[in-house]
Amino acid sequence: MKTLRFDILTIFPAMFDSPFGEGLFSRARENGLLDLRAHDLRDYTLNKHRKVDDCPFGGGAGMVMNVEPIVRAIEAVKKDRPRARTILMSASGKPFDQKKAWELSREDEILLVCGRYEGVDERVGLHFVDEEISIGDFVLSGGEIPAMVLIDAVSRLVPGVVGDEACIRDESFTADLLEYPQYTRPQEFRGQTVPEILISGDHQKIRDWQRQAAREKTARIRPDLLKNAKTSEQDRTAPGKKP
Ligand code: SAH
């Protein structure tokens, strides 16, 4: 059994208490599959006001986070965890996706740096972290929620965190397709019924339907994904379907 440990550098460490204090994450922490520590960046300042930001060189609006407290905090964490994969949450980082989540789920230690204000001194990203990751093409007010998004997506891929591994195997993006449509009781709701095939009991037909429905749904909502989608043997040989 492995433990994935996250260290987080932030000026708001308390933000991390609630999202990971309930449900499957709280259980995973109790069972030793996950370990999560948020560190206050202000503890690594050298000025008496514990100030972590300053005006940008060259002028411009807003404040920029200083390089020094961030680097001192990274070094403090790395003293105990020299191999921690160090990631700066950044709107201008590489886009996060399910493939990246799988890659990170194989690490033992991940250190996340959360910016605030107008962002962090560029030298942090250039020289003191392994990579910069963005959770999407939009700007949030801080790196904490992006870090939570990453922790959530990565943690549930750690073996044992989600009880039934099959749940993870069939999900959206796993084969560059969206997940097939799912239904549960009641069979009819306000005149809207569940596809007949799903209550036929014919497992082979159901699987074929799900594969086809996933492709149709992906073509409709995310045609961009289909360019990469792996074509299974059934898809290629099925009559009337393009490869
Ligand atoms: N001025 C910056 C945005 C700063 S937002 C720019 O134009 O790129 C403040 C902090 O929020 C950033 O330092 C980063 O840590 C976090 N952040 C904002 N949007 C993000 C995103 N899409 N992905 C990851 N982190 C983000």
Side-chain angles (χ1 to χ4, degrees):
M1 184 189 89
K2 84 159 200 170
T3 306
L4 175 55
R5 161 139 176 169
F6 287 98
D7 286 276
I8 304 131
L9 307 181
T10 167
I11 56 169
F12 298 124
M15 279 181 77
F16 290 84
D17 294 344
S18 157
F20 302 106
E22 301 189 59
L24 105 183
F25 296 111
S26 139
R27 212 169 330 121
R29 292 171 84 179
E30 280 163 24
N31 297 339
L33 299 169
L34 285 182
D35 188 1
L36 204 131
R37 313 278 168 96
H39 310 267
D40 190 343
L41 274 170
R42 293 191 195 281
D43 293 344
Y44 298 91
T45 50
L46 294 170
N47 61 80
K48 73 168 185 280
H49 301 293
R50 292 162 55 86
K51 205 165 125 57
V52 293
D53 61 317
D54 213 328
C55 304
F57 279 124
M63 302 296 271
V64 174
M65 287 184 81
N66 301 109
V67 58
E68 185 169 53
I70 295 177
V71 170
R72 292 185 72 230
I74 291 174
E75 286 168 352
V77 170
K78 283 206 163 179
K79 211 180 269 172
D80 296 331
R81 320 198 162 270
R83 289 177 313 119
R85 175 99 162 239
T86 307
I87 298 168
L88 173 64
M89 304 316 299
S90 164
S92 54
K94 289 238 182 76
F96 185 62
D97 59 14
Q98 192 66 12
K99 190 162 156 257
K100 191 76 185 178
W102 276 111
E103 180 195 322
L104 294 176
S105 73
R106 290 184 273 269
E107 295 285 341
D108 294 319
E109 296 160 355
I110 297 175
L111 170 53
L112 302 174
V113 182
C114 305
R116 277 270 151 183
Y117 316 111
E118 282 307 307
V120 307
D121 189 305
E122 188 71 9
R123 287 168 289 187
V124 174
L126 288 177
H127 308 295
F128 299 98
V129 298
D130 297 315
E131 62 197 307
E132 296 185 48
I133 290 183
S134 162
I135 63 156
D137 291 344
F138 39 78
V139 180
L140 295 157
S141 48
E144 288 77 13
I145 290 174
M148 290 173 201
V149 168
L150 184 150
I151 294 169
D152 186 314
V154 171
S155 301
R156 59 195 293 287
L157 301 178
V158 171
V161 172
V162 171
D164 185 355
E165 309 263 322
C167 293
I168 288 173
R169 201 182 50 224
D170 292 341
E171 273 174 339
S172 294
F173 310 114
T174 302
D176 289 308
L177 287 176
L178 300 180
E179 191 181 53
Y180 53 78
Q182 305 255 41
Y183 297 87
T184 186
R185 273 179 277 272
Q187 213 168 302
E188 190 195 320
F189 178 72
R190 299 190 183 168
Q192 302 298 324
T193 53
V194 168
E196 276 303 314
I197 189 100
L198 296 179
I199 37 190
S200 67
D202 183 333
H203 297 294
Q204 183 55 46
K205 278 211 177 113
I206 291 173
R207 265 196 302 278
D208 290 346
W209 180 87
Q210 287 171 334
R211 201 173 295 115
Q212 179 60 14
R215 289 204 142 245
E216 280 169 14
K217 191 170 178 178
T218 311
R220 183 160 35 90
I221 301 167
R222 292 291 306 276
D224 56 303
L225 292 176
L226 282 178
K227 285 200 289 278
N228 306 323
K230 293 184 205 94
T231 313
S232 73
E233 200 49 44
Q234 286 95 329
D235 284 337
R236 260 178 275 136
T237 53
K241 276 183 228 159
K242 290 208 184 88

